[in-house]
Amino acid sequence: MGITTKGSITHSWPSTAAYTQGGVAMPFTRTWSQLLGTGTYEHTLTAAAGQGFDTPKTDLLAAVYVANISLKAPPAWASKPITGGDLFMLPPRWDKASYLPNAAAGSASWAILTPLQYSTAAGAPEREVALHIQKGFATPGMTQPPMARKDLPGKGPDLGLTRLYWDTKRRDLNRNRSVYNCGKYFGENYATSAGYARECDEYPMASTYEGAGHSDYDPLAEPGNFSVLPVKKEDNGAAGILLAQFYDKNRVIEGSGTEPPHSTQAFGQNCAI
């Protein structure tokens, strides 16, 4: 039986990116006994730098690689109904974002939605922030500012959050609006009124497009579809550190809408209990 392997880029963003092939040339045909004897083999596809989106800021390139096999039975034999098919798909992504680690050389990752996990467990350093987000997901009508149809994004992959990096004015608006609402609904002295230092925690985060100022930029966004709550300064700081690490380790990029679909520009926000 002849087994032919084919590996190829079926989708590419940008579509104009050119790839060169290395390793074993595809399609690659061997019999079953030959494959058992040769072990593994390697196929590579390489794209030169400078072909991606938003060059030189990001130089983002994403693709879908699909491995496929087809079977050819020897004379007088048939392999029906199994004649081959796609084995799996891989969604590689490469970027050279200046605000992420290894900015000089760039780095590869996977174009997937990645959950950020905060813990509500006793003793977790980010606990009060996690409890705030949990409350926003479970009982959004009980959060501030009040809104009849509040439905906070980030509960799952269908309504993920999108990183906001380059537009510092918009990030400042998100933060300032959150602080204003903390003062409005919890008192101007919310930072000290509990007897310990507190800070205004906002969800969605100020570093996302879905933050408190979202409706100023998107006419379809509902004003007030966010939540603020004074939390312990230490918990807020710990959550901020985890978020920064999450951005770096998962290479979460700015999501202005010029990037390819299904990249890690979006992330689901989950509370681990």
Side-chain angles (χ1 to χ4, degrees), residues 235-254:
D235 289 44
N236 201 38
I241 291 173
L242 289 173
L243 178 61
Q245 292 174 343
F246 171 84
Y247 282 155
D248 282 353
K249 291 181 181 298
N250 293 283
R251 301 198 69 82
V252 181
I253 57 174
E254 152 79 30

Side-chain angles (χ1 to χ4, degrees), residues 1 18 37 49 51 65 71 78 82 97-98 115 154 169 185 188 191 200 259:
M1 177 179 290
Q51 301 185 78
Y65 177 89
L71 308 178
I82 302 173
S98 60
K169 181 180 177 181
Y185 294 102
E188 294 297 330
C200 183
E259 291 78 18

